Amino acid sequence: MAKPKRVGLIGAGAIGTVLAEAVQRELVVCDELVVYDADLQRAQNLKNSLQFPVKIVDNIDTLLAQKPKVIVEAASQQAITEYFDKLLAADIDIIVMSTGALLSLGTGSSRIHFPPGAIGGLDALSSATLAGIDEITLTTHKPPKALGKDNTEELIVYEGYAREAAQRFPREMNVAATLALTVKPVKVKVQVVSDPKVKRNTHEINVKWHYGEMHMQFANDPHPDNPHTSALAAWSAIKLLKTLLET
C-alpha cells in the first residue's frame, strides 16, 4: 500500500489559503494537508473552509512527524529562521516564500527551494550570472497602502541593496531577496517607491551583463486579502509545489 502523499503548510494566511484551495481544486495532487500556524484559530478557519483532508498541528515537530513529502513555508522570515535547522535535519523538500531569511541562512541544501514569486526570468538571470553580470537594479512601485504609507505624491521610501531592503520590508520585498539569491554574489541595487498612481505592485528589473542587457517589468495585482504581497507569489509557489510532488 502506497504511503499517503502529504503536504506540510507553515502559515494559514493569504498565500497558504490560495495554496490550500489549489489542492482542493486538484491543481496540486496530494492526499492530505498538514497545517501549522502560530494562530491555531486561523489554521482551524482554513480547515473549515475546505472539503479536503486537513490535519492541524500545534508545533513544528508534530508537523515533521507526519513526514510530508514537501513543506511550504508561507508565514514569515521569523518563522523560517526559527524552524530552519529542524526543517533541514528532517531531509524534506522545503519551499521558502520568505526568501529574505535565506540571505542569512543560505541555500546550500538541495532540499531548499524558492519560487520566483512576483517576478519571472530567473532562468535567464541565472544563466547570465555564469557569464558575468555587471549591474542589476530593481525598482519597485507599490500603492502606499502596501507599504503602510498614506502619501499623495510619489515617494521614494528606500534606496540601497537587496539584503537591507528585505530586512526593512520583510513582507513586501521578498522579490529583492529572490533576485539576490539568483545572481549571488552580484549585489542587487533596489529602489522602493510608494506610488499613489499605481494600483498594482510593479517591479522593473534592469540588467547589464557580459553579452548584453535585459529589461523586465512585472505588474501584479496585490493579493485581495494581503496587499503586501502579489497574487502571483502564491501561484508561483503552487507551480513549484506541483513540480516537486510529481518528481
Side-chain angles (χ1 to χ4, degrees):
M1 184 177 178
K3 293 191 293 186
K5 186 183 289 187
R6 297 186 176 96
V7 170
L9 178 59
I10 303 173
I15 290 178
T17 298
V18 173
L19 188 145
E21 290 171 348
V23 170
Q24 178 163 279
R25 292 167 56 193
E26 298 184 349
L27 298 177
V28 174
V29 178
C30 69
D31 299 306
E32 184 179 47
L33 277 175
V34 185
V35 180
Y36 168 62
D37 193 298
D39 183 342
L40 288 176
Q41 186 57 55
R42 185 160 61 177
Q44 185 63 52
N45 292 342
L46 176 59
K47 178 177 180 176
N48 293 344
S49 71
L50 301 171
Q51 284 77 49
F52 182 85
V54 177
K55 179 178 291 185
I56 297 173
V57 296
D58 61 5
N59 60 70
I60 201 70
D61 295 311
T62 305
L63 187 154
L64 294 173
Q66 302 302 306
K67 299 189 181 304
K69 181 174 173 61
V70 183
I71 293 174
V72 182
E73 174 277 317
S76 65
Q77 289 188 34
Q78 180 181 346
I80 195 64
T81 300
E82 182 176 350
Y83 306 134
F84 192 71
D85 290 341
K86 286 186 176 182
L87 292 170
L88 277 186
D91 198 30
I92 294 169
D93 283 312
I94 308 158
I95 296 174
V96 177
M97 299 301 296
S98 304
T99 50
L102 294 180
L103 292 174
S104 299
L105 295 170
T107 56
S109 170
S110 62
R111 294 291 206 175
I112 300 296
H113 311 272
F114 58 90
I119 57 173
L122 299 190
D123 52 345
L125 290 173
S126 183
S127 300
T129 301
L130 296 176
I133 289 179
D134 300 316
E135 181 178 276
I136 177 168
T137 63
L138 166 68
T139 303
T140 292
H141 287 247
K142 292 200 173 195
K145 181 181 178 182
L147 294 165
K149 303 291 185 181
D150 59 4
N151 52 291
T152 56
E153 300 289 336
E154 187 174 300
L155 175 68
I156 296 173
V157 296
Y158 177 78
E159 284 188 296
Y161 290 94
R163 180 184 290 271
E164 185 183 2
Q167 292 172 342
R168 189 171 293 191
F169 304 96
R171 293 185 295 173
E172 299 85 0
M173 289 304 296
N174 282 306
V175 163
T178 298
L179 281 177
L181 291 167
T182 301
V183 303
K184 189 178 180 181
V186 181
K187 287 188 175 181
V188 179
K189 295 180 181 179
V190 175
Q191 183 180 82
V192 182
V193 182
S194 177
D195 188 348
K197 298 189 303 297
V198 302
K199 298 189 182 302
R200 291 173 167 168
N201 299 325
T202 303
H203 307 286
E204 183 177 334
I205 303 164
N206 292 291
V207 183
K208 295 179 181 178
W209 70 295
H210 189 67
Y211 293 104
E213 298 182 359
M214 301 181 197
H215 306 281
M216 294 174 277
Q217 186 173 30
F218 304 88
N220 305 312
D221 289 335
H223 190 284
D225 297 327
N226 182 358
H228 299 281
T229 192
S230 296
L232 184 59
W235 287 100
S236 70
I238 290 165
K239 173 61 176 174
L240 179 53
L241 175 60
K242 180 178 172 66
T243 299
L244 291 174
L245 287 173
E246 290 173 353
T247 57

